[in-house]
Amino acid sequence: MKIALMDSGIGLLPAAVAVRRLRPDADLVLSLDPAGMPWGPRTTQDLTERALTVAEAAAAQRPDALIVGCNTATVHALTALRARFEPELPVIGTVPAIKPAAAGGGPIAIWATPATTGSAYQHGLIRNFAEGVAVTEVPCWGLAEAVEHADETAIDAAVAAAAALTPDEVTTVVLGCTHYELVAERIRAAVQRPGRAPLVLHGSAGAVAAQTLRRIGAQAAPEASPEGTVTALLNGIVGPLPAPALAYAEGRLLRAAAPVR
C-alpha cells in the first residue's frame, strides 16, 4: 500500500503520522511546495494551479490514494483535484472537525487562518453541523506561518493572541488548520482555564487517515510490521524532510520510523 499526502509545507505531518499509526506497513509519499508556500494568501486560481502541480508529482509515484493535507487547499482546489485524478486515484480532503466538536454541546471555538475565519465555507459547516451550539470563530494571525518555520517565539505570540480571543466558557477547540495540530498541547495550555473541565481539542488527522483507508477498501492494521518507507518530494524532487519538520514529534517519528528518501 502507498499513500500520498500533499500540502505547501509541513501541515501534512499530522495526517501522515495518523496513517502511519493505522498502517505502519504502508509507504508514504509527502509532496510539498517549498517554492510556493504559503498557499493561504494566493488567489483561488493560483493556489489551484500549484496544488495540481504538487499533486501531479505525488501521482507520479503511483499511490493508492492522495490526501490533501491542507484545509485551504481543500476549500479551493479539491474539486479540481478530484476532476483531474479520480476515479483512478481517490483524493481525500481535510475538513475542520466541527461536526464531532458540536456533538459535545459546546461552547466551541474554531481556530483557523484569517482567510478561513468568517468565510462562506466555514459558515456553511457551522450552519450544517453546529446549529444551536455557541460557536466563536477565532482568527489565528501568523500561527500557521510560525509553525511552518518552527519559530518558537512567534508560535507563543500567535497562540497567546488567539487564546485572548477565545471566551473563557469554551469547552472545545476545533483546530481548523492542519498546522495547528503540531502545537496542539501549546494551544491546550493557553486556553485551559483553572478549575474547568479538561479542554477538548478536535483535529482532523485521525478522521482523514481512517477515511483514506475506507476509500481504498483497506482495513486498519496497527500491528503490521513497521516497514513502510517515507519519500519526501520537494517541488517534485526527492529530498529530505524540511528542517523545521524535525522540531515536532510528528516529523521526528516519520524520520525514525523509516528512512526518509
Side-chain angles (χ1 to χ4, degrees):
M1 182 189 304
K2 182 183 290 186
I3 306 296
L5 302 94
M6 57 170 284
D7 189 7
S8 63
I10 62 175
L12 50 64
L13 292 179
V17 169
V19 173
R20 179 80 189 176
R21 287 172 175 155
L22 290 179
R23 289 300 299 250
D25 57 335
D27 293 334
L28 300 179
V29 176
L30 313 182
S31 187
L32 288 75
D33 183 24
M37 67 179 185
W39 282 350
R42 295 183 177 275
T43 65
T44 295
Q45 180 178 349
D46 190 18
L47 187 156
T48 299
E49 290 174 355
R50 297 207 72 92
L52 285 167
T53 299
V54 171
E56 291 282 3
Q61 300 292 314
R62 303 182 65 81
D64 298 295
L66 172 63
I67 295 172
V68 184
C70 173
N71 295 91
T72 301
T74 298
V75 172
H76 297 293
L78 184 61
T79 299
L81 290 165
R82 285 180 167 165
R84 169 64 183 85
F85 295 105
E86 291 192 341
E88 291 82 6
L89 176 62
V91 180
I92 297 88
T94 300
V95 177
I98 294 173
K99 183 176 181 179
I108 69 175
I110 304 171
W111 283 34
T113 63
T116 299
T117 301
S119 67
Y121 166 75
Q122 184 159 290
H123 282 168
L125 293 175
I126 294 169
R127 184 171 58 252
N128 292 335
F129 301 121
E131 185 176 0
V133 177
V135 176
T136 301
E137 297 180 88
V138 178
C140 302
W141 296 93
L143 181 54
E145 292 80 3
V147 172
E148 178 66 37
H149 295 98
D151 184 331
E152 300 288 333
T153 301
I155 290 170
D156 287 342
V159 167
L165 299 175
T166 304
D168 288 347
E169 63 270 18
V170 159
T171 61
T172 304
V173 173
V174 174
L175 304 178
C177 170
T178 54
H179 280 79
Y180 302 171
E181 296 188 51
L182 295 171
V183 291
E185 291 311 310
R186 293 198 201 192
I187 293 171
R188 184 191 304 280
V191 178
Q192 180 69 58
R193 305 301 187 229
R196 301 295 296 272
L199 185 73
V200 178
L201 298 180
H202 280 277
S204 301
V208 167
Q211 174 65 4
T212 300
L213 294 185
R214 285 193 291 270
R215 284 290 306 275
I216 63 175
Q219 300 294 320
E223 73 286 353
S225 177
E227 57 192 22
T229 61
V230 181
T231 301
L233 301 175
L234 311 179
N235 293 115
I237 300 173
V238 175
L241 280 173
L246 304 182
Y248 303 102
E250 291 85 348
R252 295 191 296 272
L253 187 151
L254 290 173
R255 183 179 65 173
V260 177
R261 62 185 191 191

